[in-house]
Amino acid sequence: MSDRPEPWVGKAVAVWVTGLLVYVLAVFHRSSLAVAGLAASERFDISASQLATFTMLQLLVYALMQIPVGLAVDRVGPRRVLLTGLSLMTLGQLLFAVAESYPLAVLARVLVGSGDAMVFICVLRLVVSWFPPRRVPLFTQLTGMLGQLGAIVAAAPMTWALGTLGWTRAYAVAAGLGLVVGLAAFLLVRDSPQGRAAPAGRLDVRDLGRGLAESWRHPGTRLGFWIHFSTPFSANVLSMLWGYPFFVRGEGRTSAEAGLLLTIMVVAVMAAGPVLGWLVGRHPWHRSTMVLTILAAIVTVWTVVLAWPGEAPFGVLVLLVVVTGVGGPASVIGFDIGRTSNPPQRQSSATGVINQAGFYATLLLVVVIGLVLDWRTPEGSAYTQEAFRWAMASQYVLWTVGIVQILRYRVRTRRVVDRAALQAGATA
């Protein structure tokens, strides 16, 4: 028997790598504002709350578009939707480069968020279409892990570009990257080894609603939803907004130490992805158990930090960011459960349903932490350790809801799987 790889393997890797480049670029565009906050405040003459609106609105648009995008991928195929998303991101970054007013800048970030919302679902669909089922969990985790390179590229290189080239040229160059990657995607990406997806028939809203309802009705989709809801929000909140002030004001760390802790968390996210992908591929019947174990570890380490008398030691905070970071790759397990719970024609719809959960949880927690900090902080004073402990303790509400729902729907999912197995045995 020949040991040579199947003829489709090279094409599959080429399609995946190209889709991955689009996803890296999407993460880069999503993160490019993080290093430009002060420059944006000066350019648009806006307050801190208006600056935060950029990120909040971009995330909200991303979450709201997940279901429509999933339906679109199921109907017209991932290639068209991927190219559409890339075009919107490129247009949004170009508009952001030339915008001089706050409303126009907000519109630009909405376009970026809209395009970003289309990418990850498409790449996951390409993985499912091009690789054998046993390889899908690994390549799904690799996609999520390597996509974080976009955030790294958005840090130092974008900082250098803003300082050297100026606002307009820096963001114009960022937009230009979309043209290069878009050409590669146009030439190399195909929906499946069989070629282009079959053209969709007449749009029937009732059929779309029926398909979406069927996806949601399956307990596996709901299990995936609550896994994605419960696992990533803690890491997201730390990396996107509250991590730096929590470590500096809440735990008395220097700016350098806070930055190091957030960097360690990104490294943990990237390192955990392939490991979890391998474990899921080897032990598909224990996916929800893996998630519950990770959640128990996250809750435990947060409890240690918040209950520590005074400021927690630096080593304990390192443990916190490492364990919390693993929650990001753990959320991807929800997509794998959705994939195995739905037929091919509903998989992207199910992915869209699942993918919005973590973003809604993150948005809710970002707002709640801010409200609690304001509640526990005297007017005109800086945030205190006590205020941060109250604020970060609000995570327990979301963890409780999520864990209860995971336990609930994994029982229902197993019942459906057992019933299907019995019916298949009877038919055989």
Side-chain angles (χ1 to χ4, degrees), residues 133-134 136-138 140-141 273-288 290-291 294 329-330 332-337 339-340:
R134 69 182 184 280
V136 169
L138 177 59
T140 299
Q141 287 287 358
V275 176
L276 287 178
W278 178 80
L279 287 173
V280 168
R282 290 290 300 272
H283 306 285
W285 297 107
H286 300 287
R287 291 173 294 184
S288 60
M290 294 179 201
V291 169
I294 292 168
V332 180
I333 296 175
F335 299 130
D336 196 64
I337 292 176
R339 173 184 65 85
T340 56

Side-chain angles (χ1 to χ4, degrees), residues 46-373:
I46 55 178
S47 65
S49 60
Q50 288 175 307
L51 179 63
T53 300
F54 282 135
T55 300
M56 300 292 291
L57 187 59
Q58 192 170 320
L59 280 175
L60 182 60
V61 169
Y62 186 105
L64 290 174
M65 287 193 63
Q66 290 308 295
I67 291 178
V69 168
L71 292 171
V73 173
D74 284 335
R75 286 185 58 81
V76 304
R79 180 177 184 270
R80 298 182 193 177
V81 180
L82 186 71
L83 291 172
T84 301
L86 186 54
S87 300
L88 286 174
M89 288 190 298
T90 301
L91 179 61
Q93 286 291 65
L94 186 59
L95 182 60
F96 203 54
V98 300
E100 295 184 355
S101 66
Y102 180 63
L104 196 59
V106 168
L107 174 60
R109 300 318 291 179
V110 168
L111 289 174
V112 171
S114 300
D116 182 13
M118 300 181 182
V119 175
F120 189 60
I121 291 178
C122 292
V123 180
L124 291 189
R125 183 58 173 265
L126 290 171
V127 168
V128 170
S129 299
W130 280 92
F131 291 95
R134 69 182 184 280
R135 301 295 184 193
V136 169
L138 177 59
F139 277 91
T140 299
Q141 287 287 358
L142 285 173
T143 301
M145 178 197 76
L146 295 174
Q148 299 307 307
L149 293 173
I152 296 175
V153 175
M158 194 63 184
T159 301
W160 174 86
L162 285 167
T164 306
L165 304 177
W167 179 280
T168 299
R169 283 192 289 177
Y171 275 100
V173 169
L177 295 174
L179 299 178
V180 177
V181 176
L183 178 60
F186 180 81
L187 294 175
L188 297 176
V189 172
R190 295 294 180 269
D191 290 329
S192 70
Q194 291 73 41
R196 181 175 171 179
R202 182 176 61 88
L203 178 64
D204 190 322
V205 176
R206 289 176 298 179
D207 288 343
L208 292 179
R210 190 179 304 115
L212 187 60
E214 289 174 356
S215 293
W216 179 246
R217 192 177 299 121
H218 196 291
T221 303
R222 300 195 189 191
L223 177 58
F225 177 93
W226 288 108
I227 286 173
H228 198 273
F229 177 93
S230 307
T231 47
F233 63 74
S234 189
N236 288 346
V237 163
L238 289 179
S239 63
M240 295 182 66
L241 189 59
W242 291 117
Y244 184 87
F246 169 68
F247 292 130
V248 173
R249 296 287 185 184
E251 294 297 330
R253 295 295 154 185
T254 65
S255 297
E257 288 175 326
L260 177 59
L261 287 168
L262 294 175
T263 301
I264 291 172
M265 187 170 68
V266 174
V267 173
V269 170
M270 297 182 69
V275 176
L276 287 178
W278 178 80
L279 287 173
V280 168
R282 290 290 300 272
H283 306 285
W285 297 107
H286 300 287
R287 291 173 294 184
S288 60
T289 301
M290 294 179 201
V291 169
L292 289 169
T293 302
I294 292 168
L295 279 173
I298 293 173
V299 173
T300 299
V301 73
W302 266 108
T303 301
V304 170
V305 170
L306 296 180
W308 198 279
E311 298 165 355
F314 188 75
V316 174
L317 296 178
V318 169
L319 180 63
L320 173 71
V321 295
V322 169
V323 174
T324 300
V326 176
S331 69
V332 180
I333 296 175
F335 299 130
D336 196 64
I337 292 176
R339 173 184 65 85
T340 56
S341 301
N342 289 273
Q345 66 272 19
R346 293 207 313 260
Q347 285 183 359
S348 293
S349 301
T351 299
V353 170
I354 294 167
N355 198 29
Q356 63 184 327
F359 290 94
Y360 284 133
T362 300
L363 282 170
L364 177 61
L365 187 59
V366 163
V367 173
V368 169
I369 287 175
L371 291 175
V372 174
L373 283 173

